[in-house]
Amino acid sequence: MSSFPAPARAMVDAMQAAAADDPVRAVAFAGAPGANSHRAALEMVRDCLPLPCFSFEDAIDAVKAGRAGAAAIPIENSQNGRVADIHFLLPESGLKIVAEHFLRINHALMALGPGPFEAAYSHPQALGQSRRFLRERGIVPLSYADTAGAAAHVAERGAPDLAAIAPPLAADLYGLRIVEHDVEDAADNTTRFLLLARDPLPPAAIGEPAVTTFVFEVKNVPAALYKALGGFATNGVNMTKLESYQSGASFSATMFYADIIGAPGDAAVDRALEELAFHCKELRMLGTYPQERARG
């Protein structure tokens, strides 16, 4: 799928052609050139060939089809929570997490002119991260597929009362004027990215400390979650994330997404996971990878 605005298409075509010539080095990301995911791909794999894709699904499909060696996907933001759809897409993708990266996010308000502005386009995450800024100025938030694509869209529309919230690089790429820098509501605005690949990291490449990510569904019995998680406490395994989400329209099957510190092969981790599996209808391992930032 390719629905990039006209100002982005030449860059997208050139980057896609370069990636096609050397797909092993390609790192797929969702968004137009200049998006935060573009930055994350370059920081996670320094010598990669960034491969812009229109959506998260397209980026994941590029890896599954062999058009890219990996994909850089945002999973959660410190200010606006988890990224929509990722908890569903990741387990079903069949890909493995091989790295994490924490990216400091700076947004800018950009447009063709100085304003005033009736509306601003951006990805829903960026709009949520700039909610107070927009409300105070009476600017209507309008959702777009990605931040840099929103900047290209504003350039294509040519309307002086429309703006975009995007990384500052997008203004340079699409000929927009930065009206205001640092429009995110929190000074420490950070997004955690995951690097996905077809194959898991070999144990020797992981090192310590490691993070292991998995999803599970407990059996439908009283206190099942309490029992399932008890093994992590009794074995001294630190669980740093536990989130629930609904699977299916019946609202009767709750899935849980979890991160722990440690790796399979560690005796304590193995005992905790064995106890978890006993109380689960489903347990799916998504990857073990080096911890980039210590969990407090």
Side-chain angles (χ1 to χ4, degrees), residues 178-280:
I178 294 182
V179 180
E180 193 164 348
H181 284 277
D182 300 325
V183 303
E184 62 276 6
D185 294 333
D188 59 352
N189 190 26
T190 302
T191 295
R192 180 185 177 217
F193 283 80
L194 300 177
L195 191 68
L196 309 181
R198 287 183 296 277
D199 299 316
L201 281 178
I206 297 171
E208 293 184 3
V211 179
T212 296
T213 298
F214 52 89
V215 294
F216 64 94
E217 180 187 352
V218 295
K219 296 175 182 177
N220 189 19
V221 296
L225 181 61
Y226 174 82
K227 296 173 183 176
L229 298 182
F232 296 97
T234 56
N235 286 287
V237 176
N238 186 15
M239 179 171 284
T240 60
K241 174 173 285 297
L242 179 66
E243 290 187 343
S244 64
Y245 62 99
Q246 293 297 319
S247 177
S250 68
F251 290 89
S252 62
T254 300
M255 298 293 294
F256 294 89
Y257 173 100
D259 291 339
I260 61 171
I261 302 302
D266 299 340
V269 171
D270 286 346
R271 288 194 297 269
L273 290 175
E274 182 179 5
E275 189 166 341
L276 172 67
F278 179 80
H279 296 286
C280 284

Side-chain angles (χ1 to χ4, degrees), residues 100 102-104 188 190 211 261 290-296:
E100 67 174 356
F102 293 85
L103 185 71
R104 175 70 175 87
D188 59 352
T190 302
V211 179
I261 302 302
Q291 176 184 267
E292 184 185 73
R293 177 181 292 185
R295 275 54 166 177

Side-chain angles (χ1 to χ4, degrees), residues 21 107 134 160 280:
D21 288 339
H107 294 304
L134 293 171
C280 284

